[in-house]
Amino acid sequence: MFKRFSSTSRVVALSSAIAFATQIVFALLMLRLFTPQEVGEFSVISQIGFFWMTLALAQAPLGMLANQYLPAHIAAQHAWRASALRGLGLLPVAALAVWFSQLNIWPALLWALLLAFCQMGWMLAQSFTLREGSAWQQAAVRVLPPVTAAATALTAALVGASVGWSGPTLVVSALLGYAVGAAWLVPALRTRLENISRVTSATNPNQSDPRSATLRMAHTLIDALLATAIIVVWQRMYGAEETGWMSALLRVLGFLPAVVHMAWAQVALAKGQHTDSRISAMASPWWLGLAAFAGVIVLGLSCAVALYQEWLDPRWRGVWPYIAPLVLWQGSACLSAAFSHRPFQTQSANSYSWACIVLGVLQSVVLLVPTGLAQPIDATQHMAAFGLVSGLGLLGLTVWMARLK
């Protein structure tokens, strides 16, 4: 059992790394082949679609993995139906966001809707393949969508330049990529409920996600708003250059917590087993989280060495004061991600969401309070305070999850 679990984790980790690398290539293609106006409009539409999708899902992919008492096909159908209804209910919110952005509302809203619902299908398809798919399917569902988007954008840009055609290349490329990912969900949606006779036998019958839709939505909303607020607040208080220094380093360091969550916690839930009692101490969540924390430290030190050796443009020297607080924050996030399956295996999911909401509110307070000070603090002090509170809060959450039995 451990050998199969370990193999699945490696497949998911490698495919996730390739997918992230491909997304970086796609971002570089945007800067190289498209105008700032095209990139800006696409960024606004895609961000609205992402926010729409995140709220509509309300952590449904996690519920699909945790609720092992439901067969995978039934769990996928329930998750898609509930998410689609929430997505339609959020249509006025998305329309308001598009109107506020001052884009042409009807084409922009239509593109955002298509992006949101196709991306929604892709996220659910990843959870479905973790439960039902083979190793190559688990890898393909993660890698093919960003590869498809990047290849389509490159081809369309080159062909369009040669024939003089100009169209919504970026949004069409992203939409095609998400649609390819969502295709893995089609077999689950086409299976008739009365034809499903197999019942999943979970080795840990206590594993489930008993949270209400309201609690899951609140948890998701806090996470989504905090991720958006840190960029908006930094832009408003310190300008584009400081925001670029912070966000570029955050994107690099944030890669490891995401991989830990996808390649460990999600796989543990998909296998329906109480992982910690089945594997050796060297593969325990503590060792995994600490190893990932060490990886974040190495990335931070690599950035410091690159700056010290002047391998980067001198304009990037402003990254220096962000390295330590972001390493603490994202390293602690690795530890938290390594234990994030525990609450769903110990009937503590409700307490987990409330703890995350409280921490998110505390982080938001630390983030927003300086905006109202008569004499604002500088960006270095602000990030030091935010990183310290975030790191300590995540470490406290990790200790609580580690004590769950």
Side-chain angles (χ1 to χ4, degrees):
M1 179 67 73
F2 169 62
K3 183 177 180 181
R4 185 176 65 181
F5 179 88
S6 178
S7 175
T8 302
S9 293
R10 286 196 297 268
V11 168
V12 175
L14 180 59
S15 58
S16 298
I18 295 173
F20 278 116
T22 307
Q23 292 176 38
I24 293 174
V25 172
F26 184 69
L28 294 176
L29 283 175
M30 288 195 299
L31 299 178
R32 178 71 176 175
L33 300 176
F34 299 93
T35 66
Q37 181 179 353
E38 290 173 322
V39 174
E41 291 181 357
F42 169 72
S43 298
V44 172
I45 293 172
S46 61
Q47 184 61 40
I48 293 173
F50 177 80
F51 189 76
W52 192 353
M53 176 274 302
T54 302
L55 291 183
L57 283 177
Q59 300 189 357
L62 192 60
M64 282 180 60
L65 298 176
N67 292 328
Q68 291 286 312
Y69 61 88
L70 283 177
H73 292 77
I74 296 179
Q77 291 181 10
H78 288 179
W80 170 255
R81 187 180 301 112
S83 300
L85 289 175
R86 281 192 295 267
L88 293 176
L90 289 166
L91 179 60
V93 177
L96 180 63
V98 174
W99 171 80
F100 187 77
S101 71
Q102 296 186 336
L103 294 176
N104 194 340
I105 188 166
W106 288 117
L109 183 60
L110 177 60
W111 287 125
L113 183 148
L114 293 174
L115 287 172
F117 277 72
C118 286
Q119 192 173 8
M120 188 189 306
W122 181 35
M123 299 299 291
L124 293 174
Q126 292 180 50
S127 293
F128 177 70
T129 53
L130 265 179
R131 289 187 58 178
E132 291 290 298
S134 62
W136 76 265
Q137 289 173 322
Q138 293 164 11
V141 75
R142 287 166 172 77
V143 173
L144 283 183
V147 169
T148 300
T152 303
L154 177 60
T155 303
L158 295 178
V159 173
S162 62
V163 300
W165 177 81
S166 177
T169 301
L170 286 171
V171 69
V172 170
S173 300
L175 180 60
L176 182 58
Y178 292 143
V180 169
W184 266 267
L185 191 64
V186 173
L189 300 180
R190 292 181 61 183
T191 303
R192 295 177 62 85
L193 294 180
E194 60 266 24
N195 292 335
I196 299 177
S197 58
R198 181 179 61 82
V199 178
T200 301
S201 58
T203 56
N204 180 10
N206 293 324
Q207 178 175 300
S208 65
D209 183 5
R211 297 174 298 171
S212 66
T214 302
L215 181 56
R216 288 189 286 114
M217 176 67 81
H219 187 168
T220 305
L221 182 61
I222 291 294
D223 288 345
L225 289 177
L226 182 62
T228 303
I230 189 170
I231 301 297
V232 174
V233 168
W234 237 252
Q235 171 69 28
R236 181 179 178 84
M237 292 190 65
Y238 308 116
E241 190 173 44
E242 289 279 356
T243 304
W245 293 334
M246 185 271 294
S247 60
L249 184 59
L250 181 59
R251 181 182 294 271
V252 173
L253 299 182
F255 163 75
L256 276 174
V259 170
V260 171
H261 188 264
M262 287 186 290
W264 176 262
Q266 290 186 5
V267 173
L269 292 175
K271 295 306 176 185
Q273 63 184 357
H274 202 306
T275 309
D276 300 329
S277 64
R278 298 293 185 93
I279 59 180
S280 65
M282 288 301 293
S284 73
W286 276 119
W287 283 108
L288 177 70
L290 290 172
F293 201 144
V296 172
I297 293 175
V298 170
L299 287 175
L301 290 175
S302 299
C303 180
V305 169
L307 290 170
Y308 182 77
Q309 297 293 335
E310 298 183 349
W311 294 338
L312 300 177
D313 190 287
R315 289 174 294 184
W316 285 99
R317 295 190 66 83
V319 170
W320 268 111
Y322 290 103
I323 295 177
L326 286 180
V327 164
L328 174 62
W329 176 20
Q330 295 305 303
S332 301
C334 289
L335 283 168
S336 177
F339 283 94
S340 60
H341 60 288
R342 279 270 185 94
F344 301 94
Q345 295 177 334
T346 57
Q347 297 295 302
S348 304
N350 286 313
S351 299
Y352 170 69
S353 275
W354 280 114
C356 291
I357 289 172
V358 170
L359 176 58
V361 170
L362 180 60
Q363 290 174 286
S364 299
V365 169
V366 176
L367 181 65
L368 294 174
V369 162
T371 63
L373 296 179
Q375 192 171 11
I377 61 177
D378 61 34
T380 300
Q381 295 172 320
H382 195 172
M383 179 49 67
F386 183 82
L388 180 63
V389 170
S390 299
L392 293 179
L394 287 168
L395 289 175
L397 183 63
T398 300
V399 172
W400 171 72
M401 291 187 291
R403 293 171 63 88
L404 294 174
K405 301 298 182 182

